[in-house]
Structures are given as structure tokens and as C-alpha cells.
Amino acid sequence: MPELAHLRLLRPSDGVVLLVLDNPDQRNAMSPEMTSSWVAAIDQVAADRSVRAVVVTGEGTAFCSGGDTAWLAGEPDATVDHLRDRMLPFYRAWLSIRRLEVPTIAAINGPAIGAGLCLALACDLRHAAAGAKMGVPFVKLGLHPGMAGTALLPDVVGAAAARDLFLTGRIVDADEALGLGLVSRVVDPETFLDTVLETAAQVAATAPIASRLTKLALAGGGHADVETGLQWEALAQPVTLATDDLQEGLRAARERRAPVFRGR
């Protein structure tokens, strides 16, 4: 794989990939170079069956300040069609993390703003360092929200809280984000990344077939109704019942040891 620009791909433990947004001078804004690197990294991770969990974080004091909008000021006469043709591939590039079959965790180490927060929303779980700031202040810039934010944010926090955050453009701290359900955990900054990576290692230690199917079942807020959920589970649970991993899980429980799952 070619060298990644403005992005680092690390393997901190068995089955865990850490993607570090690495453009700290611009508070990890989504530069064109970073965007290209992101697509290449996601392609690599998607093709690697040894990966069982992915963590995304930012280098330095910010998670991600969003899209690099400097080019907007330089194209004041651009047509709607031209801008649409530019924005859709950009959105889809960053939202490609949603096609990963393994659980993903956004480790929000600092400000996650605009499209940066939308990237975190595209992950399955969000953990924040105490003091981290989050918001979608698009309207304060004269912009409509992007990066599927109008779909992702209501799915995570509910319609009322999403309206509040979008229409006021206000920024919330980690504690308020926890109360809103925007993040599921707030961690001391000094131990933050280690704690998130421990969580990722716990996820990576679970049965990968069961984990992938569970992630799929919960996609988009879960099933439309109970009957649809039951029909899915009546197929998906037997798939896991027929795996070697289930037998290993039962043996490990009887023997009071940690299971070793092999994904078959």
C-alpha cells in the first residue's frame, strides 16, 4: 500500500486497527490528501479478514475540525452542479467507514466539528475525552449540513436533540454529549486512548461472525418492527449456532477461561 498522507494506520493489538487523522496544523481538517488516504485505508481494512475492530482518532488536540472549506472562498462563482459533483464524492469517501463489517469506535480526543462530528456519527460507538467539544455549526457559516448529518445525528440522539444542535449551531461539551446520547462514555484525557483501545480489544475478542451479524442487525437504528427483527434473528442466530465459535464459547464458559474465536 502506498504511503498515507495526513493519516496513519496502526495495529495496536490483535485484530484492532487504529486510524489516526494526522493533520494537526489544521486541526485534522479533511484535506484532499487525507481524503484520498482515508479511502485507501478503508479499502485495506475492508479486505483484511484479521481485522475485528477499528478505532478512529485525531492527532494532537483535535479529533477533526471538519471539511477543509478554504476552497469555497476561492470559488464564489461555482455552479450548483459543479459543487454537487465535488461534494458527493467527498461525502461518500468519508462515509465509506460505514461499509466495514466490523465494529468501529470514534475516539473523540478533542473538538469534533461539522463534518468531523459526522465522521464520528458514522462509527458504531463514540467515546469522548473529558473536555472534548462537539457540534454541527453549519448554519452559523451559512451552510446547510452535509456528510449525511441530517440522517446520522437524529438516528443517534433523536429528532428533538438533533433539531436543537442543527438549528442553533451550538457546541456541546463531552458531559452534555453523554447526556444526549451523542457519546456513550467520557474518559479522563490522560488515559483516554488506552481506555478506548482496551474497549476495542474487548470487541475484537468476541466471536467475529456473531459480531458482524449483530452490527448488520443494528444498522440504521435497528429493524423497522418486532416481527422484522424476529424474522432476521430466526435466520442469523442459527447461522451462529452452526459455527465452531459457538462450541468454543460454550467450552470456554464451562472451563471458566477466555474463549479463542477463529471466525468459523
Side-chain angles (χ1 to χ4, degrees), residues 115-260:
L117 182 57
C118 294
L119 173 60
L121 291 167
C123 295
D124 298 305
L125 301 173
R126 284 156 298 284
H127 293 178
K133 306 290 187 182
M134 285 154 265
V136 279
F138 292 96
V139 294
K140 288 188 172 182
L141 296 175
L143 279 174
H144 185 282
M147 193 75 77
T150 53
L152 296 171
L153 187 59
D155 181 51
V156 171
V157 302
R163 289 189 192 102
D164 175 20
L165 295 175
F166 274 128
L167 296 178
T168 66
R170 68 188 185 88
I171 305 298
V172 300
D173 63 17
D175 288 336
E176 184 175 0
L178 181 64
L180 291 171
L182 184 53
V183 301
S184 57
R185 192 172 181 187
V186 177
V187 181
D188 187 294
E190 292 186 6
T191 59
F192 176 64
L193 187 56
D194 287 341
T195 300
V196 177
L197 290 175
E198 286 174 12
T199 299
Q202 292 169 7
V203 171
T206 64
I209 296 172
S211 178
R212 285 182 168 90
L213 288 172
T214 302
K215 171 170 174 166
L216 186 58
L218 296 172
H223 297 294
D225 52 55
V226 171
E227 183 59 28
T228 304
L230 287 177
Q231 292 294 339
W232 165 266
E233 291 171 1
L235 288 172
Q237 194 168 69
V239 168
T240 58
L241 288 170
T243 61
D244 292 340
D245 278 350
L246 173 74
Q247 299 304 318
E248 165 61 12
L250 295 174
R251 282 194 301 271
R254 288 195 302 268
E255 297 166 9
R256 298 185 178 181
R257 61 173 175 81
V260 179

Side-chain angles (χ1 to χ4, degrees), residues 5-6 23 26 28-37 66-68 90 94:
H6 293 175
N23 188 17
Q26 293 182 288
N28 299 322
M30 296 159 158
S31 66
E33 297 85 358
M34 185 192 285
T35 301
S36 296
S37 295
D68 183 1
F90 174 72
W94 285 97

